[in-house]
């Protein structure tokens, strides 16, 4: 009896490991997910997104900006396990610490330079200064950031994601703009409620 239980436990663990190793966007059983019938049969336009044309020849924005091509903006991506983003960094700007719970991120610096980094589950920080043409991978679900520390020049990066809907959890906003009780935050950060409220007012401004 014990040996049978041991056997079934091993089989169950094997299947669980298989499911985890294949975790990500669910596979689809068709070539693509068509639009709703009311839009008619899809043509080439359905598989085309022109939002990034707005970047061509445009002046740099005054603050950090992200332009996304995920399933939300580009429905043809549903079921394809890919998405894209353009990240525009004026000099001295940052993409604050955040995570993508459903995807890893592959970032390519197209212009300028960026200081990037992520923190693993042992709280070890991995950082690198990237130059034009460099690529960096942010593992799935880990907290990471990008920073243009150049005082004069802007930077532009393109990010590819292993999900049509990677999701973004912005750490400062998730912590301080949530409804977590101020007392809980004060105890967690080893400070007082007044300091927590000051941080919150700074983030909301």
């Amino acid at each position: 009896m014990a040996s049978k239980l041991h056997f079934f436990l091993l089989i169950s663990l094997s299947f669980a490991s298989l499911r985890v190793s294949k975790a990500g966007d669910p596979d689809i059983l068709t070539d693509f997910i068509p639009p709703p019938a009311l839009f008619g049969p899809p043509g080439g336009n359905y598989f085309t997104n022109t939002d990034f044309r707005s970047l061509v020849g445009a002046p740099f924005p005054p603050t950090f900006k992200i332009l996304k091509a995920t399933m939300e903006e580009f429905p043809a991506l549903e079921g394809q396990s890919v998405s894209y983003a353009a990240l525009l960094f004026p000099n001295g700007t940052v993409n604050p610490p955040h995570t993508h719970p459903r995807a890893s991120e592959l970032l390519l610096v197209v212009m300028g330079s960026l200081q990037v980094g992520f923190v693993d589950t042992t709280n070890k920080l991995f950082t690198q200064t990237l130059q034009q043409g460099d690529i960096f991978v942010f593992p799935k679900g880990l907290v990471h950031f990008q920073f243009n520390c150049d005082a004069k020049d802007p930077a532009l990066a393109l990010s590819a994601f292993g999900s049509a809907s990677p999701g973004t959890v912005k750490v400062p906003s998730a912590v301080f703009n949530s409804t977590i009780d101020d007392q809980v935050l004060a105890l967690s950060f080893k400070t007082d409620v007044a300091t927590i409220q000051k941080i919150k007012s700074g983030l909301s401004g």
Side-chain angles (χ1 to χ4, degrees):
M1 181 67 178
S3 61
K4 280 187 177 179
L5 184 62
H6 184 67
F7 172 76
F8 284 118
L9 182 60
L10 281 175
I11 293 294
S12 299
L13 286 172
S14 298
F15 278 117
S17 299
L18 261 175
R19 283 196 296 273
V20 169
S21 68
K22 292 186 166 190
D25 288 0
D27 285 337
I28 58 175
L29 302 177
T30 55
D31 295 334
F32 55 87
I33 304 293
L38 62 96
F39 291 100
N45 284 343
Y46 178 64
F47 301 97
T48 304
N49 180 287
T50 60
D51 291 350
F52 283 26
R53 288 184 186 179
S54 64
L55 299 176
V56 180
F60 244 76
T63 58
F64 170 70
K65 180 180 178 181
I66 301 177
L67 190 61
K68 297 179 181 179
T70 69
M71 194 172 75
E72 185 176 348
E73 298 83 16
F74 190 8
L77 293 181
E78 184 178 0
Q80 301 303 320
S81 299
V82 292
S83 56
Y84 219 47
L87 294 83
L88 292 84
F89 297 85
N91 55 297
T93 57
V94 64
N95 187 6
H98 61 281
T99 70
H100 303 294
R102 295 183 290 275
S104 53
E105 175 182 357
L106 194 62
L107 178 136
L108 166 66
V109 178
V110 177
M111 182 178 76
S113 64
L114 288 175
Q115 181 183 343
V116 302
F118 68 86
V119 179
D120 73 6
T121 54
T122 68
N123 289 328
K124 181 178 180 182
L125 174 65
F126 296 82
T127 61
Q128 185 71 10
T129 299
L130 304 179
Q131 305 298 328
Q132 184 174 340
D134 291 348
I135 295 174
F136 192 86
V137 63
F138 300 100
K140 180 179 178 180
L142 296 185
V143 173
H144 60 281
F145 67 90
Q146 300 104 16
F147 173 43
N148 178 9
C149 55
D150 193 302
K152 297 182 295 181
D153 297 322
L156 171 65
L158 297 175
S159 285
F161 299 93
S163 169
S165 180
T168 301
V169 179
K170 298 175 182 177
V171 175
S173 180
V175 173
F176 294 103
N177 286 340
S178 68
T179 55
I180 299 174
D181 186 86
D182 287 352
Q183 187 68 41
V184 172
L185 292 175
L187 289 169
S188 300
F189 287 95
K190 296 180 171 49
T191 186
D192 52 57
V193 169
T195 301
I196 295 297
Q197 290 174 345
K198 188 173 182 180
I199 293 170
K200 284 185 171 183
S201 66
L203 286 173
S204 61

